[in-house]
Amino acid sequence: MSLTLNDIKHPKISTWVNEMIAMCEPDNVVVVDGSKEEYDALMQKCVKAGLATKLAKKENCYLFRSLPSDVARVESRTFISSVKEEDAGPTNHWIDPSELKQTMRKLYKGCMHGRTMYVIPFCMGPLGSPISKNGIEVTDSEYVVLNMDIMTRAGKKVLDIFNADVNAEFVPCLHSVGKPLRECESDNGIWPCADVEYKYITQFPEERLIWSYGSGYGGNALLGKKCFALRIATVLARDEGWLAEHMLILKLTNPKGEVKYVTGAFPSACGKTNLAMLIPTIPGWKVETIGDDIAWMKFGKDGRLYAINPEAGFFGVAPGTSAESNKNALISAEKNTIYTNCALTEDGDVWWEGIGYPAQGKLVDWKGKTRDALPKDKAPKGEEMAHPNARFTAPAKQCPCIAKEWEDPAGVPIDAILFGGRRPSTIPLVHQSLSWNHGVFLGSIVGSEITAASTIDASQVGKIRRDPFAILPFCGYNMGDYFKHWIEIGKKSTEDKLPKIFYVNWFRKDANNEKLPGGFMWPGYGDNSRVLAWIFDRCNGDNSNVVETAIGYMPKTLNTDGLADYYKETLPEILKVDVEGWKKELADVKENHYPKFGKHLPKELSEIIDMIQDRLNKA
């Protein structure tokens, strides 16, 4: 089934690919067909080159290692290169597109000497969905091809769509690891990459174009993910009247068999993937997964927002994933999975900190060094066996709680949108917005408190790191205009058809209460189903367990059957309105957060602050 350049009948794609060949000068070119045979052959090529290790303990699973300088997204080298700097906004890095292209063309020139160029036709979303979008990624990395095969619908089936419609739109994505083989004898068991000052992850919004150079890491190199599905897609969504969001999508079924679909936006380390694959602790309830990371939502003819998961796999953080925190994620990654920067055990399995059981014997750590297992599995920061951002790339269809609707081309109708952050004080366990615009306000102030563990700057501890809509690093245009777009979306339908918006906080703390594990006033994990149950009832119009407060609608209580007594005791406290805390919160937003957006901040959000302040003063 192997494809060649002659199989590309779409004239614009053919022209663009040939331009990339002329610039990058690869030794040969392969058009990816997406077959199992091709995947297996590429993986064996990586094993033979020392880039991948086959895991004896897991079916068709492989471990890759990267250079220590190439382990995560490089936000300082990620650019929104719009024509006007103002259009990129205050939260993005910007370089003039003409200047940046000139710089990058010099880097790309001849960068694929000694390498194969792979041309990947790919679809973000179910094939044939009116919500899906297509792209072409050109890369010199086998690791990228293998991961894109899991994370997207890729290969001949997508090329057939292009060939059937020579006017079909596509997002061109160019990637190179940025290190010609002629400059080194071998890759020495790790993928090559450029020094950090030569790394560029660039989005050109007006051209719907992505250029990435110098990194082989997921978010920098798998260009269908953050670069396309968020940074470029947010621009497409703004221009076309839909939403491209950094959100999970879950299907929630109550004991009566009624179904609601929920999306949720959470900054990193706030339990987003855990919520997407949650196992409820209350009898009769069921959570199934549509997606764990990105949601694209468009209006249906009935005025409701319908969402698809544009990805076909999970690119999950491994450390901290355990049978307790996310059993379904572990099961999803038991076979046909790519692991990156995990530790390798003596018996041919992977291991990471927080996996839920101790390592045994000798391990090969993520840097390739053989070490003895550490007592109590604790290592000083920087000396972990697995890198803190180690990953697994697993097919979504393997998830034991994947919903049957996860590939429905029509998408699923969204009933509720959740926002949340890691806040030890002020923010209650759950509250519901008073209106769509109030919900947009809640999304705009999302953030997590900075802790000593997350910063080396002691002066920052206790301050709030705002991550509006949990999309701050991924919005492809001015964030103030993004807020305005959300407000405009609310005008396209009626409040009864729009999703209801909630703010949740699983992370309230009482450090002085010795009974509470970790000081947390709520158990989280599967017990978050108790909050989901209340949200479900609110979406059904149930007013029997609700009180209107200064900050929104809140439950009078929640189902506490089976909860430890100390959580029953703390529940009233985390379902209260902290009036003084909220006054300080609004002051911080007004004085430190919103001024960044200047004239781009919608007046509607300032009006919401005034409204909530007035309600708090009367409380």
Side-chain angles (χ1 to χ4, degrees):
M1 196 194 283
S2 58
L3 301 173
T4 69
L5 291 172
N6 292 330
D7 291 302
I8 301 175
K9 308 301 183 188
H10 190 292
K12 285 186 179 178
I13 293 175
S14 183
T15 299
W16 179 72
V17 169
N18 280 308
E19 287 173 358
M20 299 305 101
I21 292 169
M23 180 165 62
C24 299
E25 301 173 0
D27 279 18
N28 51 71
V29 180
V30 170
V31 178
V32 170
D33 65 29
S35 66
K36 182 181 183 302
E37 293 77 14
E38 178 185 69
Y39 180 95
D40 291 343
L42 270 179
M43 189 63 82
Q44 289 312 307
K45 180 180 179 182
C46 291
V47 171
K48 191 174 179 182
L51 290 167
T53 301
K54 184 171 175 55
L55 299 176
K57 296 285 283 186
K58 285 181 166 56
E59 180 187 343
N60 196 32
C61 290
Y62 295 83
L63 172 65
F64 284 75
R65 295 189 191 96
S66 73
L67 282 170
S69 64
D70 203 27
V71 294
R73 286 182 296 103
V74 192
E75 290 186 19
S76 65
R77 305 299 300 167
T78 301
F79 301 95
I80 302 300
S81 193
S82 49
V83 174
K84 295 179 182 176
E85 183 175 3
E86 184 180 7
D87 291 340
T91 60
N92 285 313
H93 298 291
W94 178 86
I95 299 177
D96 175 81
S98 299
E99 175 192 335
L100 187 51
K101 279 189 175 181
Q102 188 176 6
T103 300
M104 293 187 73
R105 280 195 184 103
K106 289 177 183 175
L107 294 170
Y108 280 128
K109 187 61 181 173
C111 71
M112 294 188 187
H113 286 181
R115 293 194 176 280
T116 296
M117 173 187 279
Y118 298 94
V119 181
I120 313 170
F122 67 96
C123 177
M124 300 305 295
L127 293 173
S129 168
I131 312 178
S132 296
K133 298 282 184 183
N134 299 313
I136 301 285
E137 176 162 3
V138 165
T139 182
D140 56 4
S141 165
E142 289 83 8
Y143 175 84
V144 167
V145 178
L146 292 163
N147 278 271
M148 286 288 284
D149 190 72
I150 295 173
M151 292 302 299
T152 72
R153 288 84 176 168
K156 185 178 182 301
K157 56 201 171 197
V158 183
L159 187 60
D160 288 344
I161 292 172
F162 286 128
N163 288 343
D165 179 4
V166 295
N167 294 312
E169 294 179 351
F170 70 101
V171 173
C173 309
L174 171 60
H175 169 257
S176 173
V177 290
K179 187 177 180 183
L181 279 180
R182 65 187 174 192
E183 294 182 6
C184 59
E185 291 182 7
S186 75
D187 292 335
N188 298 319
I190 47 179
W191 69 62
C193 71
D195 292 337
V196 68
E197 66 266 29
Y198 298 112
K199 293 184 197 292
Y200 290 92
I201 298 88
T202 303
Q203 289 76 200
F204 300 93
E206 287 89 359
E207 297 177 74
R208 297 7 182 179
L209 173 67
I210 301 165
W211 279 8
S212 174
Y213 180 91
S215 172
Y217 170 77
N220 305 327
L222 312 181
L223 301 186
K225 194 165 178 59
K226 307 297 191 188
C227 296
F228 181 169
L230 288 175
R231 296 191 190 102
I232 291 296
T234 51
V235 176
L236 293 169
R238 175 198 65 190
D239 294 348
E240 297 172 5
W242 50 283
L243 294 170
E245 300 303 322
H246 190 210
M247 291 181 175
L248 64 88
I249 315 170
L250 61 83
K251 177 184 178 183
L252 184 59
T253 307
N254 73 1
K256 296 178 183 176
E258 298 170 323
V259 171
K260 303 289 179 193
Y261 294 96
V262 179
T263 66
F266 299 84
S268 60
C270 290
K272 183 179 171 193
T273 304
N274 295 346
L275 186 63
M277 303 180 191
L278 180 136
I279 300 173
T281 55
I282 45 177
W285 287 82
K286 186 177 182 182
V287 169
E288 295 168 274
T289 308
I290 303 286
D292 76 322
D293 193 41
I294 298 173
W296 286 358
M297 292 179 270
K298 291 187 179 179
F299 282 105
K301 291 178 182 177
D302 59 359
R304 298 186 69 190
L305 279 169
Y306 286 77
I308 62 165
N309 167 16
E311 300 186 294
F314 305 133
F315 187 64
V317 177
T321 303
S322 67
E324 180 188 4
S325 70
N326 200 332
K327 183 179 180 181
N328 286 324
L330 278 186
I331 296 170
S332 302
E334 273 298 304
K335 59 184 180 180
N336 306 315
T337 293
I338 295 169
Y339 291 92
T340 306
N341 290 334
C342 300
L344 178 66
T345 65
E346 285 183 300
D347 60 351
D349 204 351
V350 283
W351 188 89
W352 52 76
E353 282 74 13
I355 200 169
Y357 52 85
Q360 302 289 336
K362 292 189 180 295
L363 282 78
V364 181
D365 70 13
W366 72 274
K367 295 179 181 177
K369 181 182 176 183
T370 301
R371 296 162 56 188
D372 291 323
L374 293 163
K376 298 185 179 178
D377 304 313
K378 289 184 180 177
K381 195 170 184 179
E383 296 181 25
E384 296 91 349
M385 290 287 188
H387 188 273
N389 196 40
R391 296 280 174 160
F392 58 86
T393 315
K397 64 186 177 184
Q398 293 181 178
C399 181
C401 62
I402 199 77
K404 69 178 189 295
E405 300 87 354
W406 87 279
E407 288 193 292
D408 188 334
V412 295
I414 299 304
D415 299 284
I417 295 171
L418 312 185
F419 296 114
R422 186 177 276 267
R423 299 294 301 274
S425 63
T426 305
I427 310 296
L429 178 61
V430 58
H431 66 293
Q432 179 189 346
S433 72
L434 298 161
S435 65
W436 177 264
N437 283 0
H438 180 210
V440 176
F441 164 77
L442 293 177
S444 78
I445 68 167
V446 164
S448 294
E449 186 169 307
I450 299 170
T451 65
S454 62
T455 183
I456 56 173
D457 184 353
S459 68
Q460 296 300 304
V461 173
K463 293 183 179 179
I464 308 304
R465 180 182 286 126
R466 303 283 174 189
D467 185 359
F469 290 77
I471 205 171
L472 192 68
F474 311 120
C475 186
Y477 61 102
N478 191 301
M479 200 87 198
D481 295 336
Y482 168 88
F483 298 156
K484 183 66 175 176
H485 175 60
W486 264 79
I487 288 168
E488 293 302 316
I489 285 289
K491 296 175 183 176
K492 289 179 178 287
S493 193
T494 53
E495 287 272 355
D496 62 313
K497 291 182 177 178
L498 290 167
K500 291 179 169 51
I501 300 178
F502 301 81
Y503 199 119
V504 298
N505 177 26
W506 321 127
F507 301 99
R508 284 288 294 272
K509 294 193 86 170
D510 181 356
N512 297 319
N513 190 331
E514 295 179 0
K515 295 184 202 168
L516 298 174
F520 289 106
M521 300 170 77
W522 181 249
Y525 300 119
D527 285 309
N528 292 338
S529 57
R530 300 169 190 272
V531 176
L532 291 179
W534 180 77
I535 288 168
F536 188 106
D537 290 342
R538 290 296 295 151
C539 292
N540 258 353
D542 186 344
N543 296 318
S544 63
N545 180 25
V546 66
V547 57
E548 183 176 338
T549 74
I551 61 169
Y553 302 108
M554 293 174 66
K556 296 173 184 174
T557 188
L558 293 174
N559 179 341
T560 58
D561 292 348
L563 268 188
D565 286 343
Y566 42 80
Y567 291 126
K568 293 178 184 179
E569 292 166 11
T570 56
L571 184 61
E573 183 62 29
I574 56 178
L575 290 180
K576 260 195 220 168
V577 177
D578 177 356
V579 173
E580 293 308 311
W582 268 98
K583 286 180 179 178
K584 290 177 184 175
E585 181 81 10
L586 296 184
D588 181 62
V589 171
K590 207 169 184 176
E591 295 165 17
N592 301 313
H593 179 46
Y594 276 177
K596 297 174 193 168
F597 307 107
K599 66 181 183 182
H600 291 266
L601 182 77
K603 66 177 184 353
E604 290 89 344
L605 295 186
S606 297
E607 291 168 358
I608 293 292
I609 285 192
D610 293 340
M611 181 264 288
I612 299 296
Q613 281 181 325
D614 185 57
R615 293 170 68 95
L616 288 167
N617 288 334
K618 293 174 181 174

